[in-house]
Amino acid sequence: MIRAVELIAAKRRGETHRPGEVRALIDAYMRDEVPDYQVSAWLMAVCWRGLSDEETTELTLALADSGRRLRFDGSDRPVVDKHSTGGVGDKTTLVLAPMLVAAGAVVAKMSGRGLGHTGGTIDKLEAIPGVTTTTDADALVAAVRRDGIAVAAQSPDLAPADGRLYALRDVTATVESIPLIASSVMSKKIATGANAVVLDVKAGSGAFMKEADAARDLARAMVALGRGTGLPTVAVISSMDAPLGRTIGNALEVREAIETLRGGGPAELAALCVALGAEVLTAAGAGPQDAASERLRRTLADGCALGVLRRLVGAMGGDVRCIDEPDRLPRAARVVEVKADRAGYVAAIDALRCGEVAMRLGAGRATKRDAIDPAVGLVLRVSRGDSVRQSDPLVDVHCQEEPSVDLLDALRAAFSIHERAPAPAPLILDVIR
């Protein structure tokens, strides 16, 4: 029988566990032979002392093996997956997943809900009337085989140990550990049976990782984990100093995703989706990167990707009329303009401030128990580098009741207006293969 106290003491001293000890700890925890308080102590020791590459790989595989591992044997198309570390206005899954399927891949994806100022894909999908995101592993596999795509909330029979560990980390201040983050993310990707994974690792004010160097460290850890577990993985580090696209809020972001799939929408959103998609198709062996990029762009031009989203929404029980008539999506009772208080150039748009305001409106949740209002949020009227005159609109606030003066002031403060135009800033900061 595993002696958890010895593993806690060893890790507290900075020692490396012997092969098999990390897996034994996780297995014993799942059999309820080790209590929460001891696993919490071990997690805190890991936060302080870290894990070696070998320990992190063992933890990842133990989490993945704690439940079912999906298999898609016989598929003549690569099974690909994507993960984002979270950001403001990040609706890439709604655009990228249909593009990948239309370009010849299969997508089996577990997604999460938003917490704090970052939005979750599941919340966005549930903004579409009728959509159900809960399913079991068998139904997910059946949906992928039938439609080539499935996006669902995390199933309790896939990597259940990760769910239990994350619940502990959330209440014991042990979330911010690169080995623990990396093993959590990659265990779910392994469990869902992907042949290749692309990671969108955000860096900037609206991201979990504020500094690009920290984002690179996390990206390298996850790519190394993929290599160590036989799962081809590539990480794209993208900027989250400003919101992605023009919308923040669940129904508003669905609307923008539909616009993008129709060949419109913000150029940076489409460009990021093409870059992420080309990387994962190449990693999956589905052709050279230039050809993959061209295939992905064509799915927007010819409407094929939009058709995949329509099929996905229908399979989830949603009202597919919303895809062709986005006005059917939930709408807020009122729209309030926030205007510039001076003339000049938009030098920066603080993603964190925008995300926090959207959360206060009800587009996000401060705790996991909070309810989401799918209709509320923000629509940016300007982008970084735009010139504005005094009293020009900066952002529209979609709300159910008149917003407070301090909320509007906080939102206006997110827009830095200078006399000179800012230098161009890249959207993609690095790629780790």
Side-chain angles (χ1 to χ4, degrees), residues 331-412:
R331 300 170 72 91
R334 62 185 67 193
V335 178
V336 177
E337 279 189 352
V338 174
K339 299 179 179 180
D341 55 9
R342 55 176 294 187
Y345 292 90
V346 180
I349 304 174
D350 190 316
L352 178 58
R353 284 180 182 266
C354 290
E356 289 174 339
V357 168
M359 182 181 70
R360 289 171 60 185
L361 290 170
R365 48 174 71 83
T367 72
K368 292 180 179 179
R369 297 182 182 87
D370 291 346
I372 288 282
D373 184 339
V376 300
L378 308 175
V379 177
L380 307 185
R381 300 281 294 275
V382 296
S383 298
R384 184 178 180 276
D386 287 351
S387 63
V388 295
R389 296 166 299 182
Q390 187 174 1
S391 297
D392 277 354
L394 298 174
V395 56
D396 291 335
V397 181
H398 291 242
C399 48
Q400 304 296 12
E401 55 189 37
E402 192 68 26
S404 65
V405 172
D406 73 301
L407 184 145
L408 296 178
D409 287 344
L411 185 55
R412 188 178 289 107

Side-chain angles (χ1 to χ4, degrees), residues 152-164:
Q154 184 169 356
S155 170
D157 47 2
L158 296 178
D162 172 67
R164 287 187 63 177

Side-chain angles (χ1 to χ4, degrees), residues 76-100:
D76 58 355
R77 297 185 289 169
V79 182
V80 299
D81 200 353
K82 165 259 180 190
H83 175 80
S84 170
T85 57
V88 179
D90 183 10
K91 69 281 295 178
T92 51
T93 293
L94 300 180
V95 179
L96 176 58
M99 289 172 66
L100 287 167

Side-chain angles (χ1 to χ4, degrees), residues 173-248:
T174 53
V175 171
E176 296 181 20
S177 161
I178 283 179
L180 295 179
I181 296 168
S183 60
S184 174
V185 170
M186 296 303 292
S187 67
K188 293 191 283 286
K189 301 307 166 190
I190 293 168
T192 50
N195 302 135
V197 172
V198 64
L199 307 167
D200 183 8
V201 183
K202 304 292 189 184
S205 74
F208 179 67
M209 296 292 183
K210 307 299 183 187
E211 303 298 329
D213 285 346
R216 286 187 184 92
D217 289 342
L218 176 59
R220 290 190 184 103
M222 290 191 287
V223 170
L225 263 181
R227 185 167 57 246
T229 56
L231 176 59
T233 303
V234 60
V236 175
I237 301 172
S238 62
S239 175
M240 188 38 71
D241 280 325
L244 180 62
R246 294 289 186 107
T247 59
I248 306 165

Side-chain angles (χ1 to χ4, degrees), residues 60-83:
T60 303
L61 292 174
L63 298 178
D65 290 337
S66 65
R68 288 183 55 182
R69 281 213 208 181
L70 303 187
R71 298 179 65 90
F72 298 96
D73 297 337
S75 175
D76 58 355
R77 297 185 289 169
V79 182
V80 299
D81 200 353
K82 165 259 180 190
H83 175 80

Side-chain angles (χ1 to χ4, degrees), residues 127-343:
I128 303 171
V131 161
T132 300
T133 60
T134 55
T135 189
D136 60 26
D138 290 330
L140 189 145
V141 170
V144 170
R145 293 196 183 282
R146 182 184 65 244
D147 301 317
I149 183 171
V151 180
Q154 184 169 356
S155 170
D157 47 2
L158 296 178
D162 172 67
R164 287 187 63 177
L165 253 62
Y166 193 88
L168 290 182
R169 291 167 57 206
D170 191 42
V171 296
T172 57
T174 53
V175 171
E176 296 181 20
S177 161
I178 283 179
L180 295 179
I181 296 168
S183 60
S184 174
V185 170
M186 296 303 292
S187 67
K188 293 191 283 286
K189 301 307 166 190
I190 293 168
T192 50
N195 302 135
V197 172
V198 64
L199 307 167
D200 183 8
V201 183
K202 304 292 189 184
S205 74
F208 179 67
M209 296 292 183
K210 307 299 183 187
E211 303 298 329
D213 285 346
R216 286 187 184 92
D217 289 342
L218 176 59
R220 290 190 184 103
M222 290 191 287
V223 170
L225 263 181
R227 185 167 57 246
T229 56
L231 176 59
T233 303
V234 60
V236 175
I237 301 172
S238 62
S239 175
M240 188 38 71
D241 280 325
L244 180 62
R246 294 289 186 107
T247 59
I248 306 165
N250 298 290
L252 295 170
E253 291 187 46
V254 172
R255 187 184 296 263
E256 187 171 61
I258 293 169
E259 184 183 357
T260 304
L261 289 169
R262 286 176 171 171
E268 66 267 26
L269 175 58
L272 179 59
C273 289
V274 169
L276 293 169
E279 290 290 350
V280 76
L281 289 176
T282 302
Q289 196 160 7
D290 288 347
S293 297
E294 181 54 34
R295 289 208 311 277
L296 290 161
R297 292 190 192 97
R298 206 161 48 237
T299 69
L300 299 179
D302 61 17
C304 288
L306 183 66
V308 174
L309 179 64
R310 191 182 293 111
R311 189 164 74 238
L312 173 65
V313 169
M316 300 175 82
D319 185 351
V320 296
R321 295 176 298 174
C322 293
I323 306 305
D324 300 307
E325 304 170 53
D327 284 345
R328 291 180 176 273
L329 292 165
R331 300 170 72 91
R334 62 185 67 193
V335 178
V336 177
E337 279 189 352
V338 174
K339 299 179 179 180
D341 55 9
R342 55 176 294 187

